Amino acid sequence: MDDEATHLSLGEVRRIIGRLRGPDLVRLSLLGRVWAAGLRYHDADDLLYEALDRILSGRRLWPSEVPLPAFLSQVMRSIASQWRQEDRREPLREDETEQIFGDEAHDPSATYEMDDLTSRMRSALASDPLALAIFEHILADSDRDEAQRALGIDATQYDTARRRMANRLFDDFHSGWAYAP
């Protein structure tokens, strides 16, 4: 009796992956999003493409009894784990900059200027609470879906408020980014 799992040939793998359609790729991308959460330098698409590359190149053998979504999920989980380990071993870029340039790397005046600018932008948006909330989500690096869920709005409401926010900021700050109330 053969204890080794049988694997799909590269031709079978290419044929199965070649049959994927747009909706299949969207579902796989969403699955990649789950595993990519918390990665610093890679996103869900990077993860999906790397998994497909490893499978199509034969570096990752596909057991014949495992369905595509489950197998790709395992591969993406493994890659994400590997990338997280690499991220933990890699020194922070800010630390590297400090080691190279010493105290010159951190300019406190730049931080104060940015804080001042965001404060002035908040003041400019104070009369439009939804636009201000979207601005805060942008500062927090929330994606569109997260902001919509948190604010309880649909895509049209989000787009409309985001346009109002952008127009207000452009009108008030476009010439030299100096806000004059």
Side-chain angles (χ1 to χ4, degrees):
M1 188 165 157
D2 187 11
D3 288 336
E4 289 185 28
T6 56
H7 298 91
L8 297 176
S9 70
L10 286 179
E12 292 170 316
V13 169
R14 286 186 185 104
R15 195 168 38 258
I16 291 170
I17 291 178
R19 287 189 222 143
L20 292 175
R21 299 293 173 243
D24 300 321
L25 292 172
V26 169
R27 283 190 289 276
L28 292 172
S29 182
L30 291 173
L31 186 59
R33 241 178 133 177
V34 170
W35 294 118
L39 291 174
R40 286 195 293 184
Y41 304 117
H42 303 282
D43 62 15
D45 290 334
D46 295 334
L47 194 54
L48 177 59
Y49 295 139
E50 179 65 21
L52 289 172
D53 179 58
R54 290 183 185 191
I55 293 167
L56 288 167
S57 69
R59 290 182 287 155
R60 189 69 188 254
L61 298 177
W62 185 348
S64 58
E65 70 277 356
V66 179
L68 172 68
F71 180 62
L72 267 172
S73 179
Q74 292 170 0
V75 174
M76 287 189 283
R77 184 190 68 188
S78 174
I79 294 167
S81 176
Q82 173 192 347
W83 286 347
R84 280 188 192 92
Q85 288 175 355
E86 290 170 2
D87 287 349
R88 281 192 295 270
R89 284 191 299 255
E90 182 178 308
L92 293 175
R93 291 183 180 180
E94 296 86 31
D95 293 344
E96 290 174 353
T97 305
E98 279 184 28
Q99 290 171 2
I100 295 170
F101 299 109
D103 291 336
E104 296 173 15
H106 180 67
D107 179 9
S109 65
T111 302
Y112 297 131
E113 289 173 12
M114 186 63 173
D115 289 344
D116 180 55
L117 177 62
T118 55
S119 175
R120 290 184 288 130
M121 289 176 153
R122 285 182 178 112
S123 295
L125 295 170
S127 63
D128 190 342
L130 187 54
L132 177 59
I134 289 172
F135 178 73
E136 295 297 340
H137 277 277
I138 290 170
L139 288 177
D141 203 23
S142 301
D143 69 18
R144 173 191 183 94
D145 295 332
E146 290 175 282
Q148 285 176 236
R149 276 193 304 276
L151 298 172
I153 58 176
D154 63 24
T156 303
Q157 292 168 311
Y158 177 88
D159 289 340
T160 302
R162 190 184 59 69
R163 273 193 298 277
R164 282 195 319 266
M165 175 204 71
N167 289 338
R168 178 62 190 255
L169 293 176
F170 181 78
D171 289 346
D172 290 350
F173 293 90
H174 78 279
S175 62
W177 292 93
Y179 173 66

